[in-house]
């Protein structure tokens, strides 16, 4: 292997602090490389790192050794190994995770994300694209526009990337054919126009050979430029537009080091702020003026988008993490129901009605997603009917949050329009989303104040409202025990109502089946009814399998603290199945009854129920008496 002549800038090795200081004020461009498998993304980035002299001599020596051992370029340096750091990536010669690399030129600083090309790692690609200003779409000149080329281009457009470079790579393997280059560009242009990409810079390159990366190549005399690095150095970043937009500062932290200072820290998402500016704190809507703009280096007369600052106010108003400080005369919207575009990123499909954590900027709320309006076929852009979203699917759905959030449509603001969904049980990020707009009903439907409060209703009945939530397997005895408890409460002159799983399905929930999604919706509806009954001052008893902890926790969150009493009717599966009063287990075992809890659908027992009764050790009367003793006094 012939080692190319290579000498990094002396300042990097001799005076790293001085070198960094000389580059501190340069403009930063974040970009991604994406496309299909083996289009040469990692090799291109390795070439950029090498040509910008961002590799130390010992790194180059290690690269030479690795190229001999696991490289894919024969006796030549395999530049992809500079980026593919995972062992699995080097073994397979592919990119799996997103790899971030920094490099700099005389004109600009760069952070590049090398995104995987395999469809199964689309979620990783979305992560890299979410913060990018520009996308380099690579195409293998031998293969042309592929499915992943379209998928990644569509996702980049969806995620708000405005600048695109079409890098037709491996031109050396098609004899630098202009006809082949023009054919690919024309094919891509037709697709790009269909998804709203109006302009892109097309460049014929060879990441391996270095053609048209930093200088025009003699191998493509028909191409006049600009070369890739020139395009990266000169593309407009629209920072002025961000600074000219209205002020938006999501509050990350309330800074209270002592009794004399109270400030609100965060990164300015858009706009400019100065002492004396009138601001509005959302969602409360309270207004005040800025007293100081504080930074570790001292107070500023002005701060702009991208800077992290602490603001102090002229008035003592409530402001906390998750609030948004905005220009008083141009605030963002506040709503709790939206249409959103989702990119599903989890192996487990979307469960409509399931509660997820929604994290938008510094705001975290509980959210439920409805059945998708449609899924999107990225190859044809066709809208397809869908009951759920599987891994890597893209769809449009309505969602509702448990309390209003501050937002702007994603097309206007990534900071206040982009969000992630998090599974409440596993803490996995399951989806990335973009808010399109708030629903009209979110603006037109308001809480109507009433003079008789829930406390008045409870006082009239001389009792404290409760929801006694019985959960357990089919055949555990939930309904029987709940009925016995209600009879005892009635003898005590308590005002009660029993919601039984079978009875509710004759009316309110007669349209629901027993799929996982239908079970979730079943419990959501019952929870809402139970809440209304508790508001009326009743003691509500519910007897439902309610197999999933997430939905039981959702109902708990609907009620004031202490009003939700989870009662686990703890009966082993074999005992419940032996009782099998309705013959349901027998049908489920024979395959005649699908999605039956305990057989082919899971049951998640409570981890910390308020009350646990064991029907193997206790009779119905003993269980009912134990529950009554546990919940007394009810006043």
């Amino acid at each position: 292997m012939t080692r190319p002549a290579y000498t990094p800038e002396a300042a990097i090795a001799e005076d790293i602090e001085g070198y960094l200081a000389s580059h501190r004020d340069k403009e930063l461009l974040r970009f991604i490389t994406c496309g299909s498998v083996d289009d040469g993304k990692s090799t291109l980035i390795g070439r950029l790192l090498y040509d910008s002299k961002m590799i130390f001599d010992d790194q180059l020596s290690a690269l030479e050794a690795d190229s001999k051992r696991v490289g894919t370029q024969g006796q030549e340096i395999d530049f992809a190994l500079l980026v593919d750091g995972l062992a699995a990536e080097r073994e397979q010669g592919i990119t799996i995770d997103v790899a971030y690399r920094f490099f700099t030129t005389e004109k600009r600083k760069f952070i590049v994300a090398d995104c995987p090309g395999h469809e199964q790692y689309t979620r990783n690609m979305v992560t890299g694209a979410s913060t990018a200003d520009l996308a380099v779409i690579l195409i293998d000149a031998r293969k042309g526009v592929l499915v992943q080329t379209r998928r990644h281009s569509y996702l980049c457009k969806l995620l708000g990337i405005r600048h695109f470079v079409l890098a037709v790579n491996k031109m050396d393997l098609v004899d630098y054919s202009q006809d082949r280059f023009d054919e690919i560009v024309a094919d891509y242009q037709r697709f790009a126009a269909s998804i709203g990409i109006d302009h892109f810079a097309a460049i014929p390159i060879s990441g391996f050979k270095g053609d048209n990366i930093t200088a025009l190549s003699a191998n493509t005399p028909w191409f006049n430029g600009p070369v890739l690095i020139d395009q990266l150095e000169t593309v407009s970043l629209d920072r002025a537009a961000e600074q000219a937009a209205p002020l938006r500062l999501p509050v990350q932290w309330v800074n209270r080091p002592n009794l004399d200072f109270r400030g609100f820290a965060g990164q300015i998402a858009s706009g400019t702020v100065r002492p004396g500016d009138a601001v509005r704190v959302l969602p409360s809507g309270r207004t005040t003026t800025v007293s100081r703009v504080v930074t570790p280096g001292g107070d500023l007369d002005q701060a702009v988008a991208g800077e992290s600052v602490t603001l102090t106010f002229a008035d003592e108003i409530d402001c906390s993490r998750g609030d948004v400080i905005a220009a008083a005369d141009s605030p963002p919207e506040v709503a709790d129901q939206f249409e959103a575009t989702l990119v599903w990123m989890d192996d487990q499909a979307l469960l409509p009605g399931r509660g997820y954590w929604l994290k938008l900027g510094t705001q975290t709320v509980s959210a439920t997603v409805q059945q998708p309006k449609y899924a999107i076929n990225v190859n044809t852009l066709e809208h397809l009917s869908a009951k759920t979203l599987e891994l890597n699917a893209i769809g449009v759905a309505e969602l509702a949050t448990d309390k209003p959030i501050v937002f702007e449509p994603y097309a206007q603001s990534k900071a206040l329009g982009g969000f992630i969904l998090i599974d409440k049980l596993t803490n996995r990020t399951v989806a990335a989303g973009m808010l399109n707009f708030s629903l009209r009903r979110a603006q037109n439907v308001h809480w109507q104040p009433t003079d008789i409060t829930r406390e008045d209703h409870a006082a009239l009945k001389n009792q404290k409202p409760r929801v006694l939530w019985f959960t357990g397997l089919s055949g555990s005895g939930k309904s029987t025990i709940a009925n016995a408890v209600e009879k005892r409460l009635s003898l005590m002159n308590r005002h009660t109502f029993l919601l039984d799983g079978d009875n509710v399905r004759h009316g309110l929930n007669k349209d629901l089946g027993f799929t996982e999604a239908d079970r979730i919706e079943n419990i959501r509806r019952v929870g809402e009814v139970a809440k209304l009954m508790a508001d009326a001052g009743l003691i509500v008893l519910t007897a439902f399998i309610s197999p999933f902890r997430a939905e039981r926790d959702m109902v708990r969150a609907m009620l004031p603290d202490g009003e939700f009493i989870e009662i686990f009717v703890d009966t082993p599966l074999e005992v419940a199945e032996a009782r099998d009063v309705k013959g349901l287990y027998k049908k489920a075992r024979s395959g005649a009854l699908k999605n039956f809890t305990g057989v082919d659908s899971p049951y998640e027992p409570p981890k910390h129920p308020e009350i646990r009764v064991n029907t193997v050790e206790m009779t119905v009367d003993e269980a009912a008496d134990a529950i009554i003793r546990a919940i007394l006094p009810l006043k």
Side-chain angles (χ1 to χ4, degrees):
M1 182 184 304
T2 302
R3 179 175 181 144
Y6 176 79
T7 305
E9 292 184 36
I12 297 179
E14 296 173 2
D15 182 12
I16 187 63
E17 291 186 3
Y19 174 81
L20 292 174
S22 68
H23 292 278
R24 186 169 296 138
D25 296 328
K26 287 181 181 178
E27 197 172 40
L28 173 66
L29 171 72
R30 294 177 179 268
F31 72 98
I32 65 169
T33 59
C34 51
S36 193
V37 180
D38 291 331
D39 279 349
K41 298 177 292 297
S42 299
T43 299
L44 174 62
I45 295 176
R47 170 64 70 173
L48 284 170
L49 293 174
Y50 177 81
D51 287 349
S52 59
K53 299 182 180 180
M54 294 300 293
I55 311 170
F56 288 114
D57 191 64
D58 59 340
Q59 288 179 297
L60 190 57
S61 297
L63 177 62
E64 290 177 343
D66 288 344
S67 296
K68 292 178 181 178
R69 184 170 54 88
V70 294
T72 61
Q73 303 298 338
Q75 294 302 304
E76 301 293 332
I77 288 181
D78 187 350
F79 289 107
L81 297 180
L82 285 170
V83 184
D84 289 339
L86 299 177
E89 293 178 324
R90 294 188 167 210
E91 290 169 0
Q92 300 178 56
I94 63 171
T95 299
I96 295 175
D97 203 356
V98 181
Y100 294 92
R101 292 293 184 269
F102 171 85
F103 68 99
T104 182
T105 66
E106 289 301 315
K107 297 181 180 179
R108 185 172 274 175
K109 297 180 292 187
F110 303 93
I111 294 178
V112 55
D114 181 23
C115 297
H118 282 69
E119 181 178 352
Q120 71 187 93
Y121 302 120
T122 297
R123 53 190 167 188
N124 304 53
M125 178 267 167
V126 170
T127 302
S130 62
T131 58
D133 304 301
L134 178 146
V136 178
I137 308 292
L138 271 85
I139 293 179
D140 187 327
R142 300 167 300 170
K143 300 175 182 178
V145 178
L146 301 176
V147 171
Q148 280 298 80
T149 312
R150 296 186 178 94
R151 179 184 296 274
H152 284 187
S153 299
Y154 181 82
L155 285 170
C156 288
K157 176 63 178 177
L158 189 65
L159 290 164
I161 294 178
R162 299 177 182 176
H163 304 288
F164 291 82
V165 173
L166 182 69
V168 182
N169 194 22
K170 304 187 182 182
M171 289 297 295
D172 54 308
L173 300 181
V174 294
D175 298 325
Y176 299 97
S177 168
Q178 182 179 3
D179 289 341
R180 180 57 177 158
F181 174 75
D182 291 341
E183 178 187 352
I184 291 172
V185 172
D187 188 13
Y188 184 80
Q189 190 163 28
R190 285 189 292 271
F191 173 75
S194 70
I195 62 174
I197 298 177
D198 300 321
H199 175 74
F200 60 88
I203 306 173
I205 68 168
S206 170
F208 177 50
K209 299 291 187 179
D211 295 291
N212 296 321
I213 304 297
T214 58
L216 285 172
S217 171
N219 294 315
T220 55
W222 42 268
F223 178 70
N224 297 319
V227 297
L228 179 59
I229 199 66
D230 288 344
Q231 185 68 23
L232 297 177
E233 286 182 332
T234 58
V235 67
S236 173
L237 297 184
D238 304 324
R239 299 291 189 246
E242 291 180 3
Q243 296 175 14
L247 174 66
R248 306 286 186 260
L249 191 154
V251 177
Q252 296 177 337
W253 175 49
V254 178
N255 187 356
R256 193 71 188 272
N258 55 59
L259 295 176
D260 300 321
F261 185 91
R262 183 166 176 257
F264 309 97
Q267 185 179 63
I268 302 174
S270 67
T272 302
V273 63
R274 306 174 185 83
D277 283 353
V279 294
R280 187 182 302 271
V281 177
L282 296 168
S284 69
R286 294 182 177 88
T287 59
T288 184
T289 57
V290 176
S291 295
R292 299 171 57 192
V293 180
V294 183
T295 70
D299 286 14
L300 301 179
D301 295 329
Q302 173 179 291
V304 299
E307 293 187 277
S308 296
V309 297
T310 297
L311 303 183
T312 64
F313 295 154
D315 306 294
E316 288 290 335
I317 66 172
D318 183 27
C319 182
S320 58
R321 175 177 169 81
D323 289 348
V324 175
I325 301 171
D329 58 353
S330 184
E333 296 181 65
V334 177
D336 61 1
Q337 296 180 67
F338 311 90
E339 181 192 272
T341 302
L342 295 174
V343 181
W344 199 253
M345 303 166 65
D346 195 50
D347 293 323
Q348 182 176 352
L350 164 70
L351 288 173
R354 165 67 55 90
Y356 298 97
W357 293 121
L358 183 151
K359 182 171 175 53
L360 188 156
T362 60
Q363 305 172 86
T364 301
V365 295
S366 183
T368 56
V369 183
Q370 301 307 309
Q371 179 176 313
K373 291 182 175 181
Y374 55 85
I376 301 168
N377 183 325
V378 297
N379 297 316
T380 65
L381 302 184
E382 181 183 4
H383 292 180
L384 307 173
S385 63
K387 291 185 177 181
T388 185
L389 295 176
E390 304 284 349
L391 175 64
N392 294 329
I394 304 168
V396 173
E398 293 181 357
L399 61 85
T401 56
D402 63 340
K403 60 183 178 181
I405 59 174
V406 185
F407 87 102
E408 287 184 308
Y410 188 81
Q412 295 177 220
S413 170
K414 287 187 178 183
L416 292 181
F419 64 91
I420 58 173
L421 293 179
I422 302 170
D423 187 282
K424 289 185 175 181
L425 294 179
T426 64
N427 283 324
R428 292 196 309 267
T429 298
V430 297
M434 289 68 69
L435 296 178
N436 299 331
F437 51 80
S438 62
L439 302 180
R440 287 185 61 188
R441 58 179 177 266
Q443 305 298 330
N444 297 338
V445 179
H446 306 280
W447 284 104
Q448 177 65 36
T450 58
D451 293 330
I452 304 300
T453 66
R454 72 191 315 274
E455 289 75 20
D456 294 329
H457 288 299
L460 285 170
K461 297 175 178 62
N462 194 34
Q463 64 186 29
K464 181 176 176 59
R466 289 280 199 283
V467 172
L468 307 182
W469 192 277
F470 291 78
T471 177
L473 293 168
S474 177
S476 63
K478 301 181 299 300
S479 297
T480 304
I481 296 172
N483 186 59
V485 171
E486 186 181 33
K487 286 197 296 184
R488 284 163 172 74
L489 291 173
S490 179
L491 292 173
M492 299 165 65
N493 294 319
R494 304 302 180 193
H495 300 263
T496 64
F497 195 89
L498 173 58
L499 291 168
D500 181 77
D502 285 350
N503 294 347
V504 168
R505 283 185 177 272
H506 283 291
L508 176 67
N509 292 344
K510 68 187 301 181
D511 60 319
L512 298 177
F514 291 90
T515 65
E516 198 166 358
D518 282 347
R519 287 175 182 272
I520 291 169
E521 176 61 12
N522 182 52
I523 297 305
R524 187 196 69 80
R525 293 183 191 178
V526 171
E528 294 286 358
V529 172
K531 177 183 180 299
L532 291 173
M533 289 183 167
D535 287 345
L538 295 175
I539 297 170
V540 187
L541 302 89
T542 73
F544 293 82
I545 295 175
S546 50
F548 306 121
R549 296 190 193 103
E551 279 59 63
R552 300 195 296 267
D553 289 344
M554 173 183 67
V555 179
R556 183 188 294 274
M558 295 178 183
L559 297 159
D561 289 344
E563 287 193 11
F564 182 88
I565 308 297
E566 188 174 38
I567 302 172
F568 179 28
V569 183
D570 189 359
T571 304
L573 175 61
E574 59 272 16
V575 175
E577 188 168 357
R579 294 170 181 171
D580 204 10
V581 178
K582 303 173 186 177
L584 300 178
Y585 282 99
K586 185 176 180 180
K587 290 182 180 179
R589 295 294 183 189
S590 69
L593 187 60
K594 299 296 184 182
N595 301 315
F596 190 76
T597 303
V599 177
D600 58 352
S601 185
Y603 177 76
E604 298 172 352
K607 291 184 175 180
H608 305 289
E610 280 76 11
I611 301 172
R612 180 191 300 267
V613 293
N614 188 322
T615 60
V616 176
E617 301 172 356
M618 307 168 72
T619 66
V620 170
D621 288 336
E622 289 171 342
D625 289 339
I627 292 169
I628 291 293
R629 289 194 300 271
I631 62 177
L632 287 175
L634 294 174
K635 294 176 63 175

